[in-house]
Amino acid sequence: MKIAVTVNEVREQVNEWKRQGFSVGLVPTMGYLHEGHKSLITCAVSENDRVVASVFVNPMQFGPSEDLESYPRDMDRDAALCEEAGVDLIFHPEPSEMYHNGFSSYVDMNTLTGGLCGKSRPVHFRGVCTVVAKLFNIVMPDRAYFGQKDAQQLAVIRHMADDLSYGIEIKGCPIIREEDGLAKSSRNTYLNKEERQAALVLNRALSEGRKLIEAGERDAASIKDTVTSVINAEPLARIDYVEIVSWDLLEPVKNIDGPVLVAVAVFIGKTRLIDNFIALED
Ligand code: AMP
């Protein structure tokens, strides 16, 4: 496994692979890798001849009061996990390699990014779309892998890849959880013992919502009420949002009559966690 820090190194390696007729899969990450990232890599390894994982804490997708500085980093551990999972090349650039002095071109999206996480993180998706567009241009993969854990991001990237005619297959992978149900996240490391216990409320609340839908409930407001009241019963939790939106364009729905995304963002202490499920998907 190689570790590349420059765009040129990645291009040279990928060009070499393409000359040999190899397919290439890309797994974009911000590092501090866990089983969730590993599942994306495993899927990419099974579907492509060569796999590139990027490890880049992208400053552009953090707001001014967010956790860019404190975001956890451990490149040695990440490299070991990537190697074990079968990654062929890690792209680990410095911010200056991705955003040179005078950088001023952005990829922005008018739909899909206004609600859910886009509402409380107004610059987030511009940063995500711009960095992913750059990674697509640098790696030119056949397929790229994203977790349903960040469901809005998955929908946004699918839309962007289609809008901008990338010709890259965007693959969504299921949410990987801890044994007690908490969705794995690099940010879980911020939680102290009490908060870690309180964080279980996200999955617990969503499970209640899922049960209602499985029992035939179709009124979005009543499902949201149930999810909201489960979360509000946890003293350490503060809701950012509880939303039910269509699972394509992420538009709010009143009556559930097709695939929907049921998504929550909740502060546990100072840590903002997200979780979701998709219902009535074919
Ligand atoms: P991040 O490093 O948090 O930016 O995540 C990189 C990729 O891993 C994104 O596509 C995430 O959706 C995905 N991911 C993160 N956590 C999980 C998880 N628990 N299960 C599945 N995919 C995940």
PDB file of all heavy atoms in Angstrom, residues 6-41:
ATOM      1  N   THR A   6       0.550  14.141  -2.637  1.00  0.00           N
ATOM      2  CA  THR A   6       0.314  15.143  -3.681  1.00  0.00           C
ATOM      3  C   THR A   6      -0.670  14.611  -4.726  1.00  0.00           C
ATOM      4  O   THR A   6      -0.797  13.399  -4.935  1.00  0.00           O
ATOM      5  CB  THR A   6       1.620  15.536  -4.418  1.00  0.00           C
ATOM      6  OG1 THR A   6       2.092  14.401  -5.156  1.00  0.00           O
ATOM      7  CG2 THR A   6       2.683  16.015  -3.453  1.00  0.00           C
ATOM      8  N   VAL A   7      -1.323  15.564  -5.369  1.00  0.00           N
ATOM      9  CA  VAL A   7      -2.267  15.246  -6.439  1.00  0.00           C
ATOM     10  C   VAL A   7      -1.535  14.502  -7.560  1.00  0.00           C
ATOM     11  O   VAL A   7      -2.047  13.510  -8.101  1.00  0.00           O
ATOM     12  CB  VAL A   7      -2.912  16.548  -6.967  1.00  0.00           C
ATOM     13  CG1 VAL A   7      -3.730  16.280  -8.232  1.00  0.00           C
ATOM     14  CG2 VAL A   7      -3.770  17.194  -5.881  1.00  0.00           C
ATOM     15  N   ASN A   8      -0.331  14.952  -7.899  1.00  0.00           N
ATOM     16  CA  ASN A   8       0.405  14.328  -9.000  1.00  0.00           C
ATOM     17  C   ASN A   8       0.726  12.861  -8.752  1.00  0.00           C
ATOM     18  O   ASN A   8       0.627  12.040  -9.657  1.00  0.00           O
ATOM     19  CB  ASN A   8       1.694  15.098  -9.296  1.00  0.00           C
ATOM     20  CG  ASN A   8       1.390  16.310 -10.157  1.00  0.00           C
ATOM     21  OD1 ASN A   8       0.318  16.378 -10.773  1.00  0.00           O
ATOM     22  ND2 ASN A   8       2.299  17.269 -10.182  1.00  0.00           N
ATOM     23  N   GLU A   9       1.115  12.557  -7.504  1.00  0.00           N
ATOM     24  CA  GLU A   9       1.405  11.147  -7.179  1.00  0.00           C
ATOM     25  C   GLU A   9       0.177  10.272  -7.418  1.00  0.00           C
ATOM     26  O   GLU A   9       0.283   9.163  -7.947  1.00  0.00           O
ATOM     27  CB  GLU A   9       1.782  11.018  -5.703  1.00  0.00           C
ATOM     28  CG  GLU A   9       3.169  11.458  -5.305  1.00  0.00           C
ATOM     29  CD  GLU A   9       3.278  11.458  -3.784  1.00  0.00           C
ATOM     30  OE1 GLU A   9       3.641  10.421  -3.207  1.00  0.00           O
ATOM     31  OE2 GLU A   9       2.959  12.497  -3.169  1.00  0.00           O
ATOM     32  N   VAL A  10      -0.990  10.775  -7.005  1.00  0.00           N
ATOM     33  CA  VAL A  10      -2.224   9.993  -7.183  1.00  0.00           C
ATOM     34  C   VAL A  10      -2.494   9.815  -8.672  1.00  0.00           C
ATOM     35  O   VAL A  10      -2.768   8.713  -9.144  1.00  0.00           O
ATOM     36  CB  VAL A  10      -3.434  10.691  -6.509  1.00  0.00           C
ATOM     37  CG1 VAL A  10      -4.710   9.884  -6.749  1.00  0.00           C
ATOM     38  CG2 VAL A  10      -3.190  10.866  -5.022  1.00  0.00           C
ATOM     39  N   ARG A  11      -2.386  10.918  -9.416  1.00  0.00           N
ATOM     40  CA  ARG A  11      -2.677  10.844 -10.862  1.00  0.00           C
ATOM     41  C   ARG A  11      -1.770   9.842 -11.564  1.00  0.00           C
ATOM     42  O   ARG A  11      -2.228   9.049 -12.379  1.00  0.00           O
ATOM     43  CB  ARG A  11      -2.452  12.223 -11.492  1.00  0.00           C
ATOM     44  CG  ARG A  11      -3.543  13.195 -11.153  1.00  0.00           C
ATOM     45  CD  ARG A  11      -3.947  13.979 -12.403  1.00  0.00           C
ATOM     46  NE  ARG A  11      -5.198  14.682 -12.146  1.00  0.00           N
ATOM     47  CZ  ARG A  11      -5.278  15.958 -11.797  1.00  0.00           C
ATOM     48  NH1 ARG A  11      -4.182  16.683 -11.695  1.00  0.00           N
ATOM     49  NH2 ARG A  11      -6.455  16.502 -11.594  1.00  0.00           N
ATOM     50  N   GLU A  12      -0.473   9.881 -11.223  1.00  0.00           N
ATOM     51  CA  GLU A  12       0.469   8.960 -11.874  1.00  0.00           C
ATOM     52  C   GLU A  12       0.093   7.504 -11.599  1.00  0.00           C
ATOM     53  O   GLU A  12       0.062   6.673 -12.501  1.00  0.00           O
ATOM     54  CB  GLU A  12       1.897   9.216 -11.370  1.00  0.00           C
ATOM     55  CG  GLU A  12       2.566  10.320 -12.149  1.00  0.00           C
ATOM     56  CD  GLU A  12       3.891  10.722 -11.526  1.00  0.00           C
ATOM     57  OE1 GLU A  12       4.517   9.898 -10.824  1.00  0.00           O
ATOM     58  OE2 GLU A  12       4.293  11.886 -11.748  1.00  0.00           O
ATOM     59  N   GLN A  13      -0.227   7.223 -10.325  1.00  0.00           N
ATOM     60  CA  GLN A  13      -0.574   5.838  -9.966  1.00  0.00           C
ATOM     61  C   GLN A  13      -1.863   5.399 -10.665  1.00  0.00           C
ATOM     62  O   GLN A  13      -1.944   4.310 -11.222  1.00  0.00           O
ATOM     63  CB  GLN A  13      -0.710   5.722  -8.447  1.00  0.00           C
ATOM     64  CG  GLN A  13      -1.123   4.357  -7.981  1.00  0.00           C
ATOM     65  CD  GLN A  13      -0.113   3.276  -8.340  1.00  0.00           C
ATOM     66  OE1 GLN A  13       0.859   3.054  -7.645  1.00  0.00           O
ATOM     67  NE2 GLN A  13      -0.341   2.570  -9.453  1.00  0.00           N
ATOM     68  N   VAL A  14      -2.881   6.275 -10.625  1.00  0.00           N
ATOM     69  CA  VAL A  14      -4.176   5.906 -11.224  1.00  0.00           C
ATOM     70  C   VAL A  14      -4.026   5.748 -12.739  1.00  0.00           C
ATOM     71  O   VAL A  14      -4.568   4.801 -13.331  1.00  0.00           O
ATOM     72  CB  VAL A  14      -5.274   6.933 -10.863  1.00  0.00           C
ATOM     73  CG1 VAL A  14      -6.554   6.647 -11.654  1.00  0.00           C
ATOM     74  CG2 VAL A  14      -5.577   6.898  -9.371  1.00  0.00           C
ATOM     75  N   ASN A  15      -3.255   6.618 -13.368  1.00  0.00           N
ATOM     76  CA  ASN A  15      -3.039   6.496 -14.819  1.00  0.00           C
ATOM     77  C   ASN A  15      -2.392   5.157 -15.152  1.00  0.00           C
ATOM     78  O   ASN A  15      -2.760   4.503 -16.124  1.00  0.00           O
ATOM     79  CB  ASN A  15      -2.155   7.634 -15.341  1.00  0.00           C
ATOM     80  CG  ASN A  15      -2.951   8.923 -15.453  1.00  0.00           C
ATOM     81  OD1 ASN A  15      -4.181   8.894 -15.490  1.00  0.00           O
ATOM     82  ND2 ASN A  15      -2.258  10.064 -15.477  1.00  0.00           N
ATOM     83  N   GLU A  16      -1.440   4.775 -14.323  1.00  0.00           N
ATOM     84  CA  GLU A  16      -0.771   3.491 -14.519  1.00  0.00           C
ATOM     85  C   GLU A  16      -1.780   2.332 -14.433  1.00  0.00           C
ATOM     86  O   GLU A  16      -1.808   1.437 -15.277  1.00  0.00           O
ATOM     87  CB  GLU A  16       0.333   3.354 -13.448  1.00  0.00           C
ATOM     88  CG  GLU A  16       1.088   2.058 -13.429  1.00  0.00           C
ATOM     89  CD  GLU A  16       1.788   1.758 -14.754  1.00  0.00           C
ATOM     90  OE1 GLU A  16       2.188   2.721 -15.422  1.00  0.00           O
ATOM     91  OE2 GLU A  16       1.882   0.573 -15.122  1.00  0.00           O
ATOM     92  N   TRP A  17      -2.630   2.394 -13.407  1.00  0.00           N
ATOM     93  CA  TRP A  17      -3.667   1.350 -13.256  1.00  0.00           C
ATOM     94  C   TRP A  17      -4.605   1.334 -14.456  1.00  0.00           C
ATOM     95  O   TRP A  17      -4.977   0.274 -14.938  1.00  0.00           O
ATOM     96  CB  TRP A  17      -4.475   1.587 -11.977  1.00  0.00           C
ATOM     97  CG  TRP A  17      -3.738   1.280 -10.716  1.00  0.00           C
ATOM     98  CD1 TRP A  17      -2.670   0.436 -10.573  1.00  0.00           C
ATOM     99  CD2 TRP A  17      -4.010   1.800  -9.414  1.00  0.00           C
ATOM    100  NE1 TRP A  17      -2.273   0.389  -9.254  1.00  0.00           N
ATOM    101  CE2 TRP A  17      -3.077   1.217  -8.520  1.00  0.00           C
ATOM    102  CE3 TRP A  17      -4.954   2.692  -8.894  1.00  0.00           C
ATOM    103  CZ2 TRP A  17      -3.068   1.512  -7.164  1.00  0.00           C
ATOM    104  CZ3 TRP A  17      -4.956   2.980  -7.549  1.00  0.00           C
ATOM    105  CH2 TRP A  17      -4.011   2.404  -6.683  1.00  0.00           C
ATOM    106  N   LYS A  18      -4.982   2.522 -14.911  1.00  0.00           N
ATOM    107  CA  LYS A  18      -5.943   2.578 -16.042  1.00  0.00           C
ATOM    108  C   LYS A  18      -5.296   1.990 -17.297  1.00  0.00           C
ATOM    109  O   LYS A  18      -5.970   1.313 -18.086  1.00  0.00           O
ATOM    110  CB  LYS A  18      -6.416   4.008 -16.276  1.00  0.00           C
ATOM    111  CG  LYS A  18      -7.142   4.606 -15.073  1.00  0.00           C
ATOM    112  CD  LYS A  18      -8.586   4.939 -15.351  1.00  0.00           C
ATOM    113  CE  LYS A  18      -9.374   4.931 -14.053  1.00  0.00           C
ATOM    114  NZ  LYS A  18     -10.566   5.712 -14.007  1.00  0.00           N
ATOM    115  N   ARG A  19      -3.987   2.285 -17.473  1.00  0.00           N
ATOM    116  CA  ARG A  19      -3.285   1.703 -18.631  1.00  0.00           C
ATOM    117  C   ARG A  19      -3.338   0.177 -18.591  1.00  0.00           C
ATOM    118  O   ARG A  19      -3.415  -0.474 -19.612  1.00  0.00           O
ATOM    119  CB  ARG A  19      -1.813   2.159 -18.643  1.00  0.00           C
ATOM    120  CG  ARG A  19      -1.578   3.427 -19.467  1.00  0.00           C
ATOM    121  CD  ARG A  19      -0.099   3.598 -19.790  1.00  0.00           C
ATOM    122  NE  ARG A  19       0.719   3.831 -18.605  1.00  0.00           N
ATOM    123  CZ  ARG A  19       0.850   5.024 -18.004  1.00  0.00           C
ATOM    124  NH1 ARG A  19       0.251   6.090 -18.512  1.00  0.00           N
ATOM    125  NH2 ARG A  19       1.604   5.152 -16.923  1.00  0.00           N
ATOM    126  N   GLN A  20      -3.331  -0.353 -17.367  1.00  0.00           N
ATOM    127  CA  GLN A  20      -3.369  -1.814 -17.229  1.00  0.00           C
ATOM    128  C   GLN A  20      -4.803  -2.354 -17.269  1.00  0.00           C
ATOM    129  O   GLN A  20      -5.021  -3.555 -17.083  1.00  0.00           O
ATOM    130  CB  GLN A  20      -2.707  -2.222 -15.910  1.00  0.00           C
ATOM    131  CG  GLN A  20      -1.225  -1.870 -15.854  1.00  0.00           C
ATOM    132  CD  GLN A  20      -0.611  -2.159 -14.478  1.00  0.00           C
ATOM    133  OE1 GLN A  20      -0.828  -3.211 -13.895  1.00  0.00           O
ATOM    134  NE2 GLN A  20       0.134  -1.212 -13.964  1.00  0.00           N
ATOM    135  N   GLY A  21      -5.779  -1.451 -17.422  1.00  0.00           N
ATOM    136  CA  GLY A  21      -7.171  -1.892 -17.541  1.00  0.00           C
ATOM    137  C   GLY A  21      -7.856  -2.176 -16.209  1.00  0.00           C
ATOM    138  O   GLY A  21      -8.901  -2.823 -16.166  1.00  0.00           O
ATOM    139  N   PHE A  22      -7.277  -1.673 -15.098  1.00  0.00           N
ATOM    140  CA  PHE A  22      -7.869  -1.921 -13.784  1.00  0.00           C
ATOM    141  C   PHE A  22      -9.013  -0.943 -13.494  1.00  0.00           C
ATOM    142  O   PHE A  22      -8.911   0.245 -13.835  1.00  0.00           O
ATOM    143  CB  PHE A  22      -6.815  -1.763 -12.683  1.00  0.00           C
ATOM    144  CG  PHE A  22      -5.754  -2.836 -12.687  1.00  0.00           C
ATOM    145  CD1 PHE A  22      -4.465  -2.549 -12.276  1.00  0.00           C
ATOM    146  CD2 PHE A  22      -6.056  -4.136 -13.083  1.00  0.00           C
ATOM    147  CE1 PHE A  22      -3.486  -3.538 -12.258  1.00  0.00           C
ATOM    148  CE2 PHE A  22      -5.085  -5.132 -13.070  1.00  0.00           C
ATOM    149  CZ  PHE A  22      -3.799  -4.829 -12.667  1.00  0.00           C
ATOM    150  N   SER A  23     -10.071  -1.441 -12.845  1.00  0.00           N
ATOM    151  CA  SER A  23     -11.119  -0.541 -12.348  1.00  0.00           C
ATOM    152  C   SER A  23     -10.668   0.028 -10.997  1.00  0.00           C
ATOM    153  O   SER A  23      -9.892  -0.610 -10.269  1.00  0.00           O
ATOM    154  CB  SER A  23     -12.444  -1.284 -12.197  1.00  0.00           C
ATOM    155  OG  SER A  23     -12.298  -2.333 -11.259  1.00  0.00           O
ATOM    156  N   VAL A  24     -11.160   1.221 -10.682  1.00  0.00           N
ATOM    157  CA  VAL A  24     -10.711   1.916  -9.466  1.00  0.00           C
ATOM    158  C   VAL A  24     -11.920   2.344  -8.627  1.00  0.00           C
ATOM    159  O   VAL A  24     -12.867   2.946  -9.145  1.00  0.00           O
ATOM    160  CB  VAL A  24      -9.871   3.163  -9.843  1.00  0.00           C
ATOM    161  CG1 VAL A  24      -9.454   3.935  -8.584  1.00  0.00           C
ATOM    162  CG2 VAL A  24      -8.634   2.761 -10.639  1.00  0.00           C
ATOM    163  N   GLY A  25     -11.872   2.015  -7.338  1.00  0.00           N
ATOM    164  CA  GLY A  25     -12.893   2.466  -6.392  1.00  0.00           C
ATOM    165  C   GLY A  25     -12.306   3.513  -5.462  1.00  0.00           C
ATOM    166  O   GLY A  25     -11.119   3.442  -5.113  1.00  0.00           O
ATOM    167  N   LEU A  26     -13.126   4.488  -5.072  1.00  0.00           N
ATOM    168  CA  LEU A  26     -12.677   5.564  -4.163  1.00  0.00           C
ATOM    169  C   LEU A  26     -13.526   5.577  -2.899  1.00  0.00           C
ATOM    170  O   LEU A  26     -14.760   5.519  -2.975  1.00  0.00           O
ATOM    171  CB  LEU A  26     -12.801   6.930  -4.864  1.00  0.00           C
ATOM    172  CG  LEU A  26     -12.614   8.160  -3.965  1.00  0.00           C
ATOM    173  CD1 LEU A  26     -11.171   8.267  -3.463  1.00  0.00           C
ATOM    174  CD2 LEU A  26     -13.005   9.447  -4.717  1.00  0.00           C
ATOM    175  N   VAL A  27     -12.859   5.651  -1.749  1.00  0.00           N
ATOM    176  CA  VAL A  27     -13.551   5.803  -0.464  1.00  0.00           C
ATOM    177  C   VAL A  27     -13.060   7.094   0.195  1.00  0.00           C
ATOM    178  O   VAL A  27     -11.972   7.111   0.784  1.00  0.00           O
ATOM    179  CB  VAL A  27     -13.284   4.590   0.461  1.00  0.00           C
ATOM    180  CG1 VAL A  27     -14.059   4.751   1.773  1.00  0.00           C
ATOM    181  CG2 VAL A  27     -13.651   3.275  -0.220  1.00  0.00           C
ATOM    182  N   PRO A  28     -13.853   8.171   0.104  1.00  0.00           N
ATOM    183  CA  PRO A  28     -13.428   9.429   0.752  1.00  0.00           C
ATOM    184  C   PRO A  28     -13.711   9.403   2.260  1.00  0.00           C
ATOM    185  O   PRO A  28     -14.807   9.022   2.669  1.00  0.00           O
ATOM    186  CB  PRO A  28     -14.298  10.503   0.080  1.00  0.00           C
ATOM    187  CG  PRO A  28     -14.947   9.834  -1.097  1.00  0.00           C
ATOM    188  CD  PRO A  28     -15.035   8.382  -0.727  1.00  0.00           C
ATOM    189  N   THR A  29     -12.733   9.780   3.070  1.00  0.00           N
ATOM    190  CA  THR A  29     -12.938   9.820   4.525  1.00  0.00           C
ATOM    191  C   THR A  29     -12.201  11.025   5.122  1.00  0.00           C
ATOM    192  O   THR A  29     -11.336  11.615   4.475  1.00  0.00           O
ATOM    193  CB  THR A  29     -12.383   8.563   5.251  1.00  0.00           C
ATOM    194  OG1 THR A  29     -10.960   8.734   5.479  1.00  0.00           O
ATOM    195  CG2 THR A  29     -12.616   7.292   4.463  1.00  0.00           C
ATOM    196  N   MET A  30     -12.549  11.305   6.380  1.00  0.00           N
ATOM    197  CA  MET A  30     -11.792  12.320   7.127  1.00  0.00           C
ATOM    198  C   MET A  30     -10.873  11.648   8.147  1.00  0.00           C
ATOM    199  O   MET A  30     -10.361  12.299   9.056  1.00  0.00           O
ATOM    200  CB  MET A  30     -12.739  13.281   7.823  1.00  0.00           C
ATOM    201  CG  MET A  30     -13.558  14.105   6.825  1.00  0.00           C
ATOM    202  SD  MET A  30     -14.040  15.708   7.461  1.00  0.00           S
ATOM    203  CE  MET A  30     -14.973  15.244   8.895  1.00  0.00           C
ATOM    204  N   GLY A  31     -10.685  10.336   8.005  1.00  0.00           N
ATOM    205  CA  GLY A  31      -9.750   9.642   8.886  1.00  0.00           C
ATOM    206  C   GLY A  31     -10.338   9.300  10.243  1.00  0.00           C
ATOM    207  O   GLY A  31     -11.541   9.366  10.458  1.00  0.00           O
ATOM    208  N   TYR A  32      -9.439   8.905  11.169  1.00  0.00           N
ATOM    209  CA  TYR A  32      -9.820   8.346  12.465  1.00  0.00           C
ATOM    210  C   TYR A  32     -10.795   7.188  12.219  1.00  0.00           C
ATOM    211  O   TYR A  32     -11.914   7.149  12.723  1.00  0.00           O
ATOM    212  CB  TYR A  32     -10.410   9.394  13.405  1.00  0.00           C
ATOM    213  CG  TYR A  32     -10.069   9.094  14.854  1.00  0.00           C
ATOM    214  CD1 TYR A  32      -8.771   9.218  15.314  1.00  0.00           C
ATOM    215  CD2 TYR A  32     -11.039   8.651  15.733  1.00  0.00           C
ATOM    216  CE1 TYR A  32      -8.443   8.911  16.621  1.00  0.00           C
ATOM    217  CE2 TYR A  32     -10.722   8.330  17.049  1.00  0.00           C
ATOM    218  CZ  TYR A  32      -9.418   8.471  17.484  1.00  0.00           C
ATOM    219  OH  TYR A  32      -9.085   8.154  18.785  1.00  0.00           O
ATOM    220  N   LEU A  33     -10.301   6.270  11.408  1.00  0.00           N
ATOM    221  CA  LEU A  33     -11.160   5.257  10.798  1.00  0.00           C
ATOM    222  C   LEU A  33     -11.674   4.225  11.801  1.00  0.00           C
ATOM    223  O   LEU A  33     -11.003   3.902  12.777  1.00  0.00           O
ATOM    224  CB  LEU A  33     -10.391   4.554   9.673  1.00  0.00           C
ATOM    225  CG  LEU A  33      -9.824   5.491   8.593  1.00  0.00           C
ATOM    226  CD1 LEU A  33      -9.067   4.680   7.541  1.00  0.00           C
ATOM    227  CD2 LEU A  33     -10.921   6.321   7.939  1.00  0.00           C
ATOM    228  N   HIS A  34     -12.878   3.736  11.530  1.00  0.00           N
ATOM    229  CA  HIS A  34     -13.502   2.706  12.369  1.00  0.00           C
ATOM    230  C   HIS A  34     -14.192   1.691  11.456  1.00  0.00           C
ATOM    231  O   HIS A  34     -14.063   1.759  10.227  1.00  0.00           O
ATOM    232  CB  HIS A  34     -14.478   3.353  13.367  1.00  0.00           C
ATOM    233  CG  HIS A  34     -15.453   4.309  12.726  1.00  0.00           C
ATOM    234  ND1 HIS A  34     -16.410   3.896  11.814  1.00  0.00           N
ATOM    235  CD2 HIS A  34     -15.600   5.654  12.812  1.00  0.00           C
ATOM    236  CE1 HIS A  34     -17.121   4.942  11.417  1.00  0.00           C
ATOM    237  NE2 HIS A  34     -16.636   6.032  11.995  1.00  0.00           N
ATOM    238  N   GLU A  35     -14.967   0.798  12.064  1.00  0.00           N
ATOM    239  CA  GLU A  35     -15.610  -0.281  11.298  1.00  0.00           C
ATOM    240  C   GLU A  35     -16.553   0.241  10.206  1.00  0.00           C
ATOM    241  O   GLU A  35     -16.783  -0.438   9.213  1.00  0.00           O
ATOM    242  CB  GLU A  35     -16.397  -1.205  12.246  1.00  0.00           C
ATOM    243  CG  GLU A  35     -15.529  -1.991  13.207  1.00  0.00           C
ATOM    244  CD  GLU A  35     -14.682  -3.038  12.504  1.00  0.00           C
ATOM    245  OE1 GLU A  35     -15.185  -3.671  11.565  1.00  0.00           O
ATOM    246  OE2 GLU A  35     -13.515  -3.202  12.892  1.00  0.00           O
ATOM    247  N   GLY A  36     -17.124   1.428  10.429  1.00  0.00           N
ATOM    248  CA  GLY A  36     -18.004   2.010   9.402  1.00  0.00           C
ATOM    249  C   GLY A  36     -17.216   2.294   8.131  1.00  0.00           C
ATOM    250  O   GLY A  36     -17.610   1.894   7.024  1.00  0.00           O
ATOM    251  N   HIS A  37     -16.074   2.976   8.281  1.00  0.00           N
ATOM    252  CA  HIS A  37     -15.220   3.235   7.121  1.00  0.00           C
ATOM    253  C   HIS A  37     -14.744   1.914   6.518  1.00  0.00           C
ATOM    254  O   HIS A  37     -14.690   1.752   5.302  1.00  0.00           O
ATOM    255  CB  HIS A  37     -13.984   4.047   7.539  1.00  0.00           C
ATOM    256  CG  HIS A  37     -14.285   5.369   8.176  1.00  0.00           C
ATOM    257  ND1 HIS A  37     -14.158   5.589   9.528  1.00  0.00           N
ATOM    258  CD2 HIS A  37     -14.692   6.548   7.646  1.00  0.00           C
ATOM    259  CE1 HIS A  37     -14.467   6.838   9.809  1.00  0.00           C
ATOM    260  NE2 HIS A  37     -14.802   7.449   8.681  1.00  0.00           N
ATOM    261  N   LYS A  38     -14.399   0.976   7.402  1.00  0.00           N
ATOM    262  CA  LYS A  38     -13.849  -0.304   6.926  1.00  0.00           C
ATOM    263  C   LYS A  38     -14.864  -1.034   6.047  1.00  0.00           C
ATOM    264  O   LYS A  38     -14.496  -1.681   5.062  1.00  0.00           O
ATOM    265  CB  LYS A  38     -13.455  -1.162   8.135  1.00  0.00           C
ATOM    266  CG  LYS A  38     -12.516  -2.282   7.767  1.00  0.00           C
ATOM    267  CD  LYS A  38     -12.040  -3.003   9.019  1.00  0.00           C
ATOM    268  CE  LYS A  38     -11.213  -4.205   8.659  1.00  0.00           C
ATOM    269  NZ  LYS A  38     -10.836  -4.988   9.826  1.00  0.00           N
ATOM    270  N   SER A  39     -16.141  -0.918   6.401  1.00  0.00           N
ATOM    271  CA  SER A  39     -17.166  -1.606   5.597  1.00  0.00           C
ATOM    272  C   SER A  39     -17.229  -1.016   4.181  1.00  0.00           C
ATOM    273  O   SER A  39     -17.457  -1.729   3.206  1.00  0.00           O
ATOM    274  CB  SER A  39     -18.534  -1.513   6.285  1.00  0.00           C
ATOM    275  OG  SER A  39     -19.052  -0.202   6.190  1.00  0.00           O
ATOM    276  N   LEU A  40     -17.014   0.298   4.079  1.00  0.00           N
ATOM    277  CA  LEU A  40     -16.982   0.927   2.745  1.00  0.00           C
ATOM    278  C   LEU A  40     -15.779   0.409   1.944  1.00  0.00           C
ATOM    279  O   LEU A  40     -15.890   0.094   0.758  1.00  0.00           O
ATOM    280  CB  LEU A  40     -16.860   2.458   2.877  1.00  0.00           C
ATOM    281  CG  LEU A  40     -18.127   3.314   2.976  1.00  0.00           C
ATOM    282  CD1 LEU A  40     -19.047   2.877   4.087  1.00  0.00           C
ATOM    283  CD2 LEU A  40     -17.772   4.788   3.124  1.00  0.00           C
ATOM    284  N   ILE A  41     -14.633   0.321   2.637  1.00  0.00           N
ATOM    285  CA  ILE A  41     -13.408  -0.157   1.967  1.00  0.00           C
ATOM    286  C   ILE A  41     -13.596  -1.605   1.519  1.00  0.00           C
ATOM    287  O   ILE A  41     -13.262  -1.966   0.387  1.00  0.00           O
ATOM    288  CB  ILE A  41     -12.184  -0.017   2.913  1.00  0.00           C
ATOM    289  CG1 ILE A  41     -11.905   1.453   3.216  1.00  0.00           C
ATOM    290  CG2 ILE A  41     -10.959  -0.688   2.312  1.00  0.00           C
ATOM    291  CD1 ILE A  41     -10.861   1.696   4.318  1.00  0.00           C
TER     292      ILE A  41
END
